[in-house]
Amino acid sequence: MIIRSLVRRPGAVQCLVQRCRATPSPFSARNLHSKPTLDRHAELLQNGIPGLFTPKGFNIAYEQYHQHIVDGLNEATSGTEWENQEPKALVVEWARNPMTAYGFNMASMAFNNHFFFKGINTDPNTVSAPPTDLLPEINKHFTSLETLKETFLATADAMFGPGFVWLVQQDDTATRKLSILTTYLAGSPLAGAHWRRQSHDLNHHNADSYQGLNPVGSFGSAARQEPKLKKPLGGVDVVPLLCVNTWEHVWLQDYGIGGKRDYLEAWWDRIDWNKVRDNGDFRGANVPFSQGVRKFAF
Amino acid sequence: MIIRHVAARGSYRALVQNRLKQFRRFFSEVTSIEATADSSVNQLQALEGQLNSQTAFSVPTASPDTQAAPLSGSVAEQYHKFKHLEKHFGHLGSDISPHYQPHALLNNPPSPADVTLELLLAAEAHQGHLTSLWNPANARYIQGIRQGVHIISLEVTAAHLRRAAKVVQEVSRRGGLVLFVGTRDGQDRAVVKASQMAKGYHLFERWIPGSITNGQQILGKCRTKVVNEKDEEVPGFEEQLYDRPVLRPDLVVCLNPLENYVLLHECALNNIPTIGVIDTNADPTWVTYPIPANDDSIRCIQVIAGVLGRAGQAGQKQRLAAAQQGHITYRAARDLRLPEEVEEAISPEVMNKLEEGMLDDGNGLDEKLDQVRNRERSGRTLKQMD
């Protein structure tokens, strides 16, 4: 019973049979989610992303796939109390409960895919290179940009199956360390959705190794726990800066079955490093966040 | 220490490169953040082991960098971080079409220029009552009948709302006291917000009968203050204020006239203009400026109160801007003497000259208005305490 209801999406069987995904059911509210547009969207539709995606590849990776995800999101939310919520809020809300796994998957893929495409530099005239205030931080945590590139791309290449690889900044005030995080399938790096971070492929674990991952029940002074960042309620432990989408549909059209490594190399040259710097906090160690920030008017 | 660091760094790079080549083919396990830290620590410890075995002296051990520093401490900092994340990541994933957000009508109400028929329709301002419950005096405001209820014409509603907004704006511009009244459940937030914007007064509990007609008794102990043209309080008038009559509103906005007959009647007796939301079963003659709309819908009340509050806000802004330029838009209070001149007891003519910018019309209406306003004064005398 449980397996059946986990598998079945609301209206999935009917939709498969009648192909009614595009048409809303008569009793549901209007569909509020729509696919967002990117910078220079018209050019991207025409020319793709030069150096990364052909027009057909971009069409599959973003236009068709993101529309598919947004349709699923509408299906999961329209007519419910969640219909006006943003995908990020839905990710955090639905991460814990397995019964809401479908909605979580849709919201998380919408967030991750949009994050990926926003992090790409779509201007064909500019060369992607990290700005000068970002390089010292990269060198501090990864010894050099080349090492970061090698580690990042090797991690992404080694992942078996679809997922995302993220460059994240941790939130401790002392170092604000940069690190690489993998999320399989629709896993999310957001702090409130750690139940579905999915940073490990459980197929590579047996019962003993899984014990090391699963912290359920380990509390108290006798438990051997590595010291973790003390996160306040609602606080954030990692901030995502950059991600690459390693789902096959993204690169299959343009790079072929064996072209994952080529795709990753091409993507690295199209990163928008200014967005990376803006997403994170690179003002220096132990500088409080509120310094230099204008007062908010209430 | 130096040898260890150089060796570690150089070897780490070599190790990483070596392992990376293995990664691609054989090693499909992908490490998380903690495992990456662990593996680098393991490599460091393995290297220390090698160096210890090969060199004569023992290499000091490096402590693993797992003691994570605490997160940004203060609440203000966490809030700023939250705002930063909301700004950069909050909207990602999909675009959500505009929709009704209940808090928006209270936190950011529409202004008179934003009043459209669509807004009023969405706020259900057109819904009247059963046809058998109507007041025939409202016939001019009714569009028709649907499903047994009267439908108020939204063009009429919009026109009357705009007129009422103009009245509120002008009274505020002239420095008048505006009182917003809404005593039904759920009207309190709208009333308070409107009065805050218009710098007026609010009432959401029961109106105490006689607060105007018997004001000296009921409100006599309330504190009054003297403000200059820039709304700054001027101290030193306490003794003179003790003698003065109690204040009355210059305009009353009532959001549920059906329950506030006494208030509206008192206002009418004392020539105080009133604005009211008139439903199909209410009496439009109770108020000076009716707004035919649905008083049972809280959303409609929030729209109307918000619009009138915004109009008051605009009037206040005009008044203060004029005061900055030195032009005072109202008549100053009569019979008030500046504190330092009470001792000198200068003549009232000189006192009047000091109050600049008065709008005097020559037919002596001002004195008559003063007499009317001060009629209640005789009930109280100042006890001379020597």
Side-chain angles (χ1 to χ4, degrees):
Chain A
M1 184 76 104
I2 293 172
I3 299 168
R4 193 160 49 98
S5 44
L6 278 175
V7 160
R8 180 180 298 155
R9 299 200 305 274
V13 174
Q14 292 87 335
C15 276
L16 280 170
V17 170
Q18 297 164 17
R19 294 198 184 183
C20 66
R21 178 140 340 127
T23 61
S25 72
F27 299 114
S28 72
R30 61 196 172 125
N31 293 327
L32 283 150
H33 293 276
S34 60
K35 183 180 56 158
T37 53
L38 306 170
D39 291 340
R40 300 185 196 85
H41 202 86
E43 288 174 28
L44 298 182
L45 285 175
Q46 191 129 15
N47 310 325
I49 298 179
L52 186 56
F53 293 124
T54 59
K56 191 149 171 24
F58 176 76
N59 180 268
I60 290 175
Y62 187 74
E63 294 292 304
Q64 290 187 32
Y65 185 73
H66 211 91
Q67 185 60 53
H68 172 83
I69 293 297
V70 161
D71 290 342
L73 201 53
N74 279 325
E75 201 182 313
T77 55
S78 67
T80 68
E81 57 186 321
W82 302 105
E83 61 181 357
N84 295 332
Q85 296 293 332
E86 289 151 347
K88 177 170 176 280
L90 295 174
V91 161
V92 172
E93 180 64 34
W94 285 336
R96 188 165 181 182
N97 188 0
M99 301 300 290
T100 53
Y102 173 69
F104 170 84
N105 289 339
M106 293 294 121
S108 185
M109 283 309 295
F111 182 88
N112 294 352
N113 200 31
H114 195 197
F115 194 103
F116 165 61
F117 276 96
K118 277 194 85 111
I120 296 176
N121 174 21
T122 53
D123 187 357
N125 301 324
T126 58
V127 176
S128 106
T132 43
D133 48 353
L134 191 53
L135 271 175
E137 290 293 317
I138 294 177
N139 290 339
K140 188 164 96 175
H141 299 300
F142 288 97
T143 67
S144 73
L145 184 64
E146 287 71 31
T147 313
L148 168 62
K149 176 181 175 181
E150 267 310 304
T151 320
F152 197 102
L153 299 189
T155 311
D157 203 25
M159 278 170 74
F160 190 73
F164 290 78
V165 186
W166 304 78
L167 181 67
V168 298
Q169 184 180 41
Q170 295 189 35
D171 193 40
D172 54 322
T173 46
T175 57
R176 296 204 201 278
K177 191 161 167 267
L178 295 176
S179 22
I180 296 170
L181 174 69
T182 57
T183 54
Y184 283 84
L185 298 167
S188 179
L190 297 174
H194 61 277
W195 311 97
R196 293 286 303 267
R197 178 159 291 174
Q198 290 164 194
S199 57
H200 291 265
D201 187 352
L202 293 184
N203 295 320
H204 301 153
H205 286 275
N206 56 21
D208 295 324
S209 63
Y210 182 64
Q211 286 300 315
L213 295 179
N214 188 12
V216 168
S218 74
F219 51 87
S221 52
R224 273 170 300 152
Q225 275 183 327
E226 41 195 67
K228 282 208 171 73
L229 297 169
K230 283 199 185 355
K231 186 167 70 76
L233 194 65
V236 159
D237 49 11
V238 293
V239 175
L241 307 178
L242 178 69
C243 84
V244 65
N245 186 348
T246 55
W247 281 68
E248 289 90 353
H249 65 262
V250 177
W251 44 269
L252 200 58
Q253 169 70 30
D254 290 331
Y255 297 88
I257 289 283
K260 187 173 179 184
R261 184 80 203 189
D262 298 328
Y263 156 71
L264 292 170
E265 298 274 356
W267 167 78
W268 187 265
D269 293 330
R270 301 301 315 170
I271 293 174
D272 188 350
W273 289 100
N274 292 325
K275 287 252 174 60
V276 173
R277 189 210 30 215
D278 293 338
N279 285 342
D281 173 22
F282 295 107
R283 289 156 313 118
N286 288 325
V287 175
F289 201 84
S290 45
Q291 271 190 15
V293 176
R294 271 199 303 258
K295 278 199 186 302
F296 296 102
F298 287 98
Chain B
M1 188 78 99
I2 295 171
I3 300 169
R4 183 170 58 82
H5 274 213
V6 167
R9 199 173 272 202
S11 298
Y12 174 67
R13 198 176 282 177
L15 272 169
V16 161
Q17 283 172 357
N18 195 21
R19 285 190 75 162
L20 285 174
K21 285 184 190 131
Q22 291 171 358
F23 272 173
R24 289 165 64 181
R25 260 203 206 180
F26 306 114
F27 194 66
S28 61
E29 173 69 50
V30 181
T31 55
S32 64
I33 303 173
E34 293 87 1
T36 313
D38 275 341
S39 65
S40 59
V41 164
N42 288 339
Q43 288 156 16
L44 202 59
Q45 287 168 353
L47 210 60
E48 284 166 12
Q50 276 185 355
L51 284 171
N52 275 336
S53 61
Q54 288 167 13
T55 58
F57 55 89
S58 66
V59 180
T61 56
S63 57
D65 189 21
T66 53
Q67 273 294 338
L71 294 178
S72 12
S74 72
V75 174
E77 230 177 280
Q78 287 167 24
Y79 177 73
H80 283 292
K81 182 131 208 155
F82 167 72
K83 279 293 188 186
H84 170 83
L85 291 173
E86 276 298 304
K87 183 179 162 202
H88 282 90
F89 308 131
H91 60 281
L92 288 181
S94 66
D95 286 344
I96 302 184
S97 7
H99 52 275
Y100 170 50
Q101 292 172 302
H103 65 277
L105 278 179
L106 287 169
N107 294 341
N108 189 24
S111 69
D114 298 330
V115 168
T116 56
L117 300 189
E118 289 85 0
L119 174 67
L120 293 172
L121 186 73
E124 296 171 21
H126 61 289
Q127 302 278 11
H129 283 276
L130 275 180
T131 54
S132 55
L133 299 177
W134 78 321
N135 187 323
N138 292 326
R140 66 186 68 193
Y141 308 135
I142 290 171
Q143 164 83 6
I145 302 171
R146 185 180 171 94
Q147 292 180 340
V149 295
H150 278 123
I151 302 297
I152 300 169
S153 173
L154 287 179
E155 287 100 346
V156 173
T157 304
H160 283 78
L161 181 56
R162 278 195 285 267
R163 177 176 73 162
K166 239 351 189 188
V167 170
V168 172
Q169 182 180 343
E170 192 57 21
V171 168
S172 298
R173 193 186 75 82
R174 295 280 197 114
L177 300 182
V178 185
L179 172 65
F180 290 86
V181 174
T183 52
R184 279 199 196 174
D185 287 340
Q187 290 182 352
D188 47 0
R189 288 184 70 186
V191 156
V192 166
K193 181 66 183 178
S195 62
Q196 279 172 347
M197 287 195 290
K199 294 195 188 159
Y201 299 83
H202 65 260
L203 174 71
F204 50 80
E205 299 288 346
R206 177 180 158 264
W207 167 263
I208 297 177
S211 298
I212 294 176
T213 49
N214 194 16
Q216 204 62 44
Q217 182 69 30
I218 293 174
L219 301 176
K221 294 205 166 61
C222 295
R223 185 177 100 85
T224 48
K225 60 183 182 179
V226 175
V227 294
N228 63 6
E229 71 275 11
K230 292 178 189 158
D231 283 356
E232 297 152 354
E233 183 173 356
V234 184
F237 285 93
E238 285 80 13
E239 286 208 5
Q240 299 179 59
L241 284 176
Y242 191 71
D243 233 351
R244 287 183 74 79
V246 82
L247 292 174
R248 286 168 182 174
D250 295 306
L251 175 69
V252 167
V253 176
C254 183
L255 301 177
N256 56 334
L258 276 177
E259 282 92 26
N260 286 306
Y261 172 74
V262 177
L263 159 67
L264 297 172
H265 186 63
E266 286 187 47
C267 291
L269 288 175
N270 289 276
N271 299 324
I272 297 171
T274 49
I275 295 171
V277 178
I278 299 298
D279 210 337
T280 52
N281 60 345
D283 191 339
T285 59
W286 286 4
V287 296
T288 324
Y289 301 102
I291 303 174
N294 180 11
D295 63 358
D296 302 292
S297 162
I298 294 181
R299 186 170 169 183
C300 173
I301 291 297
Q302 285 174 351
V303 167
I304 290 175
V307 165
L308 297 180
R310 282 277 184 224
Q313 191 181 47
Q316 292 287 345
K317 197 169 158 197
Q318 284 174 331
R319 176 175 67 82
L320 289 170
Q324 288 296 116
Q325 304 294 322
H327 170 64
I328 302 176
T329 53
Y330 55 89
R331 265 186 323 116
R334 296 293 184 119
D335 301 330
L336 272 182
R337 307 164 94 182
L338 289 176
E340 52 268 22
E341 285 160 7
V342 169
E343 293 95 43
E344 294 174 16
I346 53 170
S347 60
E349 287 82 38
V350 179
M351 188 66 203
N352 286 342
K353 273 192 207 157
L354 289 166
E355 297 167 5
E356 291 179 346
M358 294 187 322
L359 304 168
D360 255 338
D361 43 355
N363 57 2
L365 196 60
D366 332 322
E367 284 80 14
K368 286 191 188 156
L369 282 174
D370 277 341
Q371 279 171 18
V372 166
R373 221 179 274 140
N374 294 338
R375 197 177 290 161
E376 287 290 319
R377 194 176 168 182
S378 56
R380 181 193 213 128
T381 50
L382 180 63
K383 251 192 178 165
Q384 294 290 340
M385 305 281 284
D386 294 319

